Amino acid sequence: MKGETRRIRLIIRGRVQGVWYRGSAQEIARELGLTGWVRNLSDGSVELIAEGESSALEALKAWCLEGPPLARVYDVLEERLKPCGEPATFEVR
């Protein structure tokens, strides 16, 4: 439903570190008006938490399936979380 606020956690697997994935994800998330954060994980994947309107979250997830030009995404796992309103912006950790 448009206008509904949701929060999701994505784990993005593939060649997603060292290819400007986090910075690109931050740019896209901010353009979509989402809040949250993105960080590298020690296993080579990327973790992303985002909160905002359902339609914006779906657009972000669609982007995450492709990523920036040098990325090779093999899998995106999604978990729905309870919205909490933090952080107030979208940041790279």
Side-chain angles (χ1 to χ4, degrees), residues 31-92:
E31 287 174 15
L32 292 168
L34 298 170
T35 61
W37 50 266
V38 61
R39 68 178 176 175
N40 287 337
L41 297 178
S42 61
D43 67 359
S45 62
V46 167
E47 179 181 28
L48 183 147
I49 303 280
E51 185 170 320
E53 285 193 8
S54 296
S55 59
L57 291 171
E58 290 303 319
L60 178 64
K61 184 178 175 187
W63 179 87
C64 286
L65 289 165
E66 295 293 324
L70 295 176
R72 296 295 174 263
V73 177
Y74 302 128
D75 194 20
V76 176
L77 305 173
E78 179 180 353
E79 176 184 2
R80 291 189 180 192
L81 306 171
K82 183 178 179 180
C84 68
E86 291 186 11
T89 186
F90 197 94
E91 53 195 51
V92 173

Side-chain angles (χ1 to χ4, degrees), residues 1-40:
M1 171 191 310
K2 187 173 180 167
E4 175 188 12
T5 298
R6 292 186 338 180
R7 185 177 184 89
I8 60 171
R9 175 180 183 247
L10 302 177
I11 300 294
I12 302 101
R13 295 184 176 148
R15 186 173 59 160
V16 292
Q17 291 189 13
V19 295
W20 194 246
Y21 197 98
R22 292 177 302 152
S24 298
Q26 179 187 42
E27 290 173 7
I28 296 297
R30 286 182 173 178
E31 287 174 15
L32 292 168
L34 298 170
T35 61
W37 50 266
V38 61
R39 68 178 176 175
N40 287 337

